């Protein structure tokens, strides 16, 4: 959360001057839930979601769009840490696909706005 706050503060100044900008925060589905043994992680994701919502309103009149993307579990080194028996790393989201979503959503310059996006695994069985 701290890095998102610092980066937003630093970059928003130039965006306000230019009357244009995109800020995309990568949160987590944990922003909407709480899980055993992850209280600090979940709290930071709740904070990031609230911060993104507030900044979206604060920067709206400057034509700066702020979005919080909340993916479910991602295939990263952190994802390899076993937190429970119900998670299977092989079913986690591909980080490259998440990056593609960020680029795609950031490319719109029309009147469309994106504020919160939840990314989940499409379960095919």
């Amino acid at each position: 959360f701290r890095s998102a706050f610092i980066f937003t503060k630093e970059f928003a100044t130039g965006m306000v001057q230019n009357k244009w900008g995109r800020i995309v925060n990568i949160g987590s589905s944990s922003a909407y839930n709480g899980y055993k043994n992850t209280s600090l992680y979940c709290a930071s994701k709740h904070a990031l979601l609230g911060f993104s919502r507030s900044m979206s309103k604060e920067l709206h009149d400057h034509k700066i769009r702020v979005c919080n993307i909340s993916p479910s579990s991602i295939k990263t080194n952190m994802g390899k840490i076993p937190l429970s028996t119900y998670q299977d790393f092989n079913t986690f989201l591909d980080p490259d696909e998440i990056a593609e979503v960020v680029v795609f959503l950031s490319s719109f310059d029309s009147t469309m706005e994106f504020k919160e996006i939840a990314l989940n695994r499409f379960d095919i069985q």
Side-chain angles (χ1 to χ4, degrees), residues 4-118:
F5 179 82
I6 291 168
F7 280 121
T8 298
K9 180 181 175 186
E10 291 298 317
F11 288 107
T13 302
M15 292 178 188
V16 167
Q17 291 171 351
N18 292 330
K19 290 280 190 188
W20 190 94
R22 303 290 181 269
I23 297 171
V24 179
N25 291 316
I26 307 297
S28 169
S29 58
S30 294
Y32 301 97
N33 298 294
Y35 300 99
K36 184 178 178 181
N37 300 324
T38 62
S39 57
L40 285 176
Y41 180 80
C42 291
S44 70
K45 298 309 175 180
H46 282 282
L48 185 60
L49 178 60
F51 176 68
S52 297
R53 287 174 174 171
S54 295
M55 291 310 300
S56 178
K57 290 182 182 345
E58 289 180 28
L59 297 173
H60 180 270
D61 292 342
H62 301 286
K63 298 182 181 171
I64 299 167
R65 296 176 188 157
V66 180
C67 179
N68 189 77
I69 296 179
S70 298
S72 58
S73 299
I74 305 170
K75 289 183 180 177
T76 63
N77 287 336
M78 182 181 162
K80 292 179 183 177
I81 300 170
L83 295 176
S84 68
T85 57
Y86 70 88
Q87 291 189 313
D88 178 3
F89 185 79
N90 295 317
T91 65
F92 288 7
L93 299 176
D94 182 337
D96 291 335
E97 288 182 337
I98 294 168
E100 289 176 27
V101 170
V102 171
V103 171
F104 177 73
L105 292 173
S106 298
S107 68
F108 289 96
D109 202 24
S110 64
T111 57
M112 183 172 65
E113 182 176 29
F114 53 96
K115 292 186 178 185
E116 292 179 32
I117 307 291

